[in-house]
Amino acid sequence: DTEVTQTPKHLVMGMTNKKSLKCEQHMGHRAMYWYKQKAKKPPELMFVYSYEKLSINESVPSRFSPECPNSSLLNLHLHALQPEDSALYLCASSQDEGREVAKNIQYFGAGTRLSVL
Amino acid sequence: AQTVTQSQPEMSVQEAETVTLSCTYDTSESDYYLFWYKQPPSRQMILVIRQEAYKQQNATENRFSVNFQKAAKSFSLKISDSQLGDAAMYFCAYRSDYGGSQGNLIFGKGTKLSVKP
């Protein structure tokens, strides 16, 4: 099973709303990632959690707040977003962040399409 | 810093024919990994094939194979017997051999592949 599940599939929110994106995996992976992908562009890394601790924050604005409650679950809390934050948000997981390629292959979810009005 | 270049924004192939997607990269490292990911309209990034730089033998996965030229820093993807389901955006990605933040994926801009029936 190489499944990473993201909910919701689509989300429309106003600039004053608070919402959350959810990502779940049951592969026993200990590294989880959030990416932002604009149309016709490659994914851009936002955050990395390794063993439930935030290991990388790629200078993401504070209106995006990640949370890793346990090793299977990753959330992205959204607050006061801007229209330019509209994008596809992808979650990925890997066995860990180590050097061994068999362990660091990233498996992606199908993403949440976010529209900010 | 490492960079990945995909010089073909769009490609087209006839069903059952063969197509090659190009990817070049720039690095000063000797050990690294290269990947091809496929992103169909369903949005999920799917790993197609991977190559360890220390391996001279080109990777193959069923109809997908790579031509890895380490000296030329080239990593092309060949799709044989193209099928309608191969239509997608294809991303070439580089990963350093280092773990942690240095081991994050670096993506090219992608090549959109169309398959004509």
Side-chain angles (χ1 to χ4, degrees), chain A residues 4 25 27-33 48-49 51 92-98 101-108, chain B residues 95:
Chain A
V4 176
Q25 56 86 15
M27 297 178 277
H29 287 177
R30 304 310 298 271
M32 297 186 77
Y33 310 76
V48 181
Y49 272 82
Y51 291 81
S93 71
S94 64
Q95 196 167 337
D96 63 30
E97 276 193 293
V101 69
K103 292 186 175 181
N104 63 49
I105 292 174
Q106 292 185 30
Y107 296 92
F108 286 80
Chain B
R95 189 189 193 280

Side-chain angles (χ1 to χ4, degrees), chain A:
Chain A
D1 179 13
T2 57
E3 188 168 331
V4 176
T5 305
Q6 290 188 244
T7 54
K9 289 187 172 20
H10 302 275
L11 179 63
V12 180
M13 60 186 290
M15 289 190 283
T16 58
N17 292 157
K18 286 185 181 180
K19 296 286 185 183
S20 296
L21 309 185
K22 180 180 171 181
C23 174
E24 203 163 2
Q25 56 86 15
H26 297 287
M27 297 178 277
H29 287 177
R30 304 310 298 271
M32 297 186 77
Y33 310 76
W34 278 117
Y35 288 87
K36 174 182 178 180
Q37 187 179 23
K38 301 286 269 185
K40 300 184 181 180
K41 299 287 187 184
E44 298 174 4
L45 185 65
M46 299 174 72
F47 302 104
V48 181
Y49 272 82
S50 180
Y51 291 81
E52 294 120 71
K53 290 190 178 354
L54 182 65
S55 67
I56 295 172
N57 176 342
E58 293 286 357
S59 303
V60 179
S62 59
R63 57 185 184 269
F64 295 92
S65 175
E67 178 197 20
C68 189
N70 59 59
S71 60
S72 300
L73 189 56
L74 185 66
N75 297 319
L76 186 62
H77 303 298
L78 314 172
H79 172 57
L81 294 192
Q82 304 296 309
E84 59 265 28
D85 296 321
S86 298
L88 179 67
Y89 288 84
L90 292 165
C91 173
S93 71
S94 64
Q95 196 167 337
D96 63 30
E97 276 193 293
R99 297 177 63 175
E100 239 180 280
V101 69
K103 292 186 175 181
N104 63 49
I105 292 174
Q106 292 185 30
Y107 296 92
F108 286 80
T112 294
R113 177 79 65 193
L114 174 67
S115 297
V116 181
L117 304 178

Side-chain angles (χ1 to χ4, degrees), chain B residues 89-102:
Chain B
M89 182 72 87
Y90 286 81
F91 291 100
C92 178
Y94 173 102
R95 189 189 193 280
S96 171
D97 187 36
Y98 295 98
S101 62
Q102 292 170 292

